[in-house]
Amino acid sequence: MSDRIFNFSAGPAVMPEPVLERARDEMLNFQDSGMSVMEMSHRSPEFEGILARTERGLRQAMGIPDDYAVLFLQGGASLQFSMVPMNLYLPGRPIDVLHTGAWTEKAIEEIKKVAECRLAASTEAEKFRRLPRPDEIEFNPDASYVHICSNNTIFGTQWRSFPDTGGVPLVADMSSDILSRPVDVSKFGLIFAGAQKNIGPAGVTLVVMRKELAERAPASTPTMLKYATHIKNNSLYNTPPTFGIYMIGLVMDWIEAEGGVVAIEERNEAKAKLLYGTIDATGFYTGTVEKQDRSYMNVNFRIQGSNEELEKKFAKEAEAAGLSGLKGHRSVGGLRASIYNAMPLEGVQTLVDFMREFERKNG
Ligand SMILES: *Cc1c(COP(=O)(O)O)cnc(C)c1O
């Protein structure tokens, strides 16, 4: 019997068990090198092999075209809020943002420090309970780029499809839904994601970008904050987060073994439907966002019209039953189940069983 619990934390989050087992097996002696990946020089042939394998795995899983670079950076998704405008802003051409929650708010704050920012749409007036509808979005055809957050981790909304920005590059923060479904990378100028939600441990930030966009950066951009530096040096300008890169490679192997991103998406959809179906079954639980915009990754719900006492009780009893991390984000309250790629259907089934029993006792 495993002593592992079901971890519904928003991030750092659950990892696939086979990945952890393989990392454990290779921990002290990676493929007869006599050392751990953690102990290796980032300039060694062994590590260069790991880096190349991880990049290959990502290119295969995401279908990344050849004119796109794959970069492994640090500073989290949060540093990308600064790095993207520092590199991609064209003076006089404001950056368009689709404002859909706390993470786009942070992006806007950083954009404003180095560039002009314009809102192409915002659902702030509705407390981010839904995404902008197509007829509410007004793009500026002259924008430097458009910033979008594909999955709003805190509010629990997710773009089912991406708006057409014409010739303007689309920059997506995919921190909390990267590789949860197939995405046409060629439709994006740049995609970034902190690894710690869907593809690995904290400490690595993945950037996938059309290489030519890196040429926009002014010469005065600090070396480490320039995409061109990392493209030129294949993410080895300085010491990269080596162990995290290795772990992402193992996650890519796992995705392939599971049948690729298409199979992952099917499973994510089944998990989300099971959970939302339970929320909608009676009036005891209520989903907090409009149905068409519901996230398949972060499922936000309330109990009996926001009964905070019951919600507290729910989180506490769930924790005792081996279901951890269900408390909503401190800024929005309520409950949130994060059901990323690595959360097995069995985990969601266990949660749903717990929810029904909790309702029976407290409804
Ligand atoms: C978690 C998260 C971030 C912040 O990531 P860090 O790696 O902690 O900087 C940014 N955007 C989204 C959508 C997130 O979910």
Side-chain angles (χ1 to χ4, degrees):
M1 269 288 284
S2 165
D3 53 3
R4 283 172 59 78
I5 53 151
F6 290 115
N7 175 12
F8 294 91
S9 163
V14 55
M15 294 278 292
E17 221 164 87
V19 167
L20 296 176
E21 283 163 355
R22 196 168 143 197
R24 176 198 61 201
D25 293 345
E26 296 180 338
M27 182 65 72
L28 273 74
N29 182 1
F30 174 77
Q31 292 182 3
D32 292 329
S33 64
M35 56 180 145
S36 170
V37 173
M38 261 184 259
E39 303 169 300
M40 272 174 199
S41 163
H42 59 296
R43 311 270 175 215
S44 65
E46 284 91 351
F47 183 72
E48 291 207 348
I50 290 170
L51 184 64
R53 268 192 82 251
T54 302
E55 177 175 341
R56 235 182 358 257
L58 277 159
R59 283 191 182 275
Q60 156 119 20
M62 290 179 72
I64 301 171
D66 288 345
D67 57 335
Y68 282 67
V70 175
L71 305 175
F72 302 98
L73 308 181
Q74 299 183 62
S78 298
L79 184 58
Q80 293 308 304
F81 296 156
S82 303
M83 224 170 133
V84 178
M86 287 173 88
N87 283 264
L88 268 55
Y89 176 54
L90 300 167
R93 299 172 62 176
I95 293 160
D96 264 357
V97 179
L98 293 159
H99 185 23
T100 53
W103 292 118
T104 51
E105 180 71 48
K106 291 226 158 120
I108 290 165
E109 280 168 29
E110 297 310 310
I111 287 170
K112 281 182 174 166
K113 289 178 183 168
V114 297
E116 264 184 280
C117 185
R118 179 187 166 275
L119 298 188
S122 168
T123 49
E124 186 170 15
E126 274 115 314
K127 300 206 168 101
F128 305 118
R129 270 189 217 105
R130 64 172 180 85
L131 296 173
R133 290 186 269 271
D135 64 354
E136 295 171 329
I137 302 174
E138 271 181 55
F139 288 124
N140 167 14
D142 207 34
S144 289
Y145 65 88
V146 175
H147 178 100
I148 193 170
C149 180
S150 58
N151 181 73
N152 294 279
T153 325
I154 293 176
F155 291 93
T157 57
Q158 183 178 31
W159 293 85
R160 291 262 77 78
S161 63
F162 294 96
D164 182 3
T165 56
V168 178
L170 183 59
V171 171
D173 176 359
M174 290 196 189
S175 293
S176 52
D177 70 348
I178 190 151
L179 280 161
S180 69
R181 55 179 170 172
V183 157
D184 181 354
V185 174
S186 71
K187 294 246 155 66
F188 297 85
L190 188 150
I191 293 168
F192 65 86
Q196 69 271 22
K197 283 146 188 161
N198 240 340
I199 54 168
V204 193
T205 312
L206 175 68
V207 172
V208 175
M209 70 182 293
R210 220 158 67 214
K211 283 182 207 162
E212 62 171 30
L213 287 173
E215 291 162 20
R216 288 187 179 185
S220 61
T221 313
T223 310
M224 272 296 285
L225 299 181
K226 236 184 187 168
Y227 293 119
T229 303
H230 300 289
I231 294 174
K232 189 169 155 231
N233 293 282
N234 191 29
S235 301
L236 291 167
Y237 173 75
N238 72 325
T239 316
T242 51
F243 195 76
I245 292 169
Y246 158 72
M247 290 297 286
I248 293 175
L250 298 190
V251 172
M252 292 312 112
D253 287 351
W254 173 77
I255 288 177
E256 195 187 355
E258 293 293 301
V261 176
V262 171
I264 295 279
E265 180 188 40
E266 278 169 21
R267 198 164 62 196
N268 286 338
E269 199 170 327
K271 290 183 304 189
K273 289 206 162 133
L274 176 60
L275 188 43
Y276 285 118
T278 306
I279 289 167
D280 294 338
T282 67
F284 186 72
Y285 300 104
T286 29
T288 58
V289 301
E290 286 193 12
K291 283 189 183 169
Q292 76 277 2
D293 295 326
R294 282 174 163 179
S295 168
Y296 288 5
M297 298 278 97
N298 309 99
V299 177
N300 286 32
F301 59 101
R302 311 277 334 211
I303 295 179
Q304 281 185 338
S306 308
N307 180 333
E308 286 178 20
E309 280 311 305
L310 262 190
E311 287 167 353
K312 216 186 264 172
K313 188 169 180 227
F314 179 100
K316 196 170 159 229
E317 289 181 10
E319 183 87 47
L323 304 163
S324 135
L326 288 161
K327 205 164 154 277
H329 190 269
R330 60 192 186 280
S331 65
V332 297
L335 297 156
R336 170 177 57 174
S338 297
I339 50 173
Y340 299 121
N341 287 356
M343 173 58 64
L345 181 60
E346 187 200 348
V348 178
Q349 187 60 56
T350 307
L351 171 60
V352 159
D353 293 343
F354 173 84
M355 287 168 74
R356 291 191 183 124
E357 182 63 13
F358 188 84
E359 179 176 352
R360 198 183 60 74
K361 285 197 210 133
N362 299 279

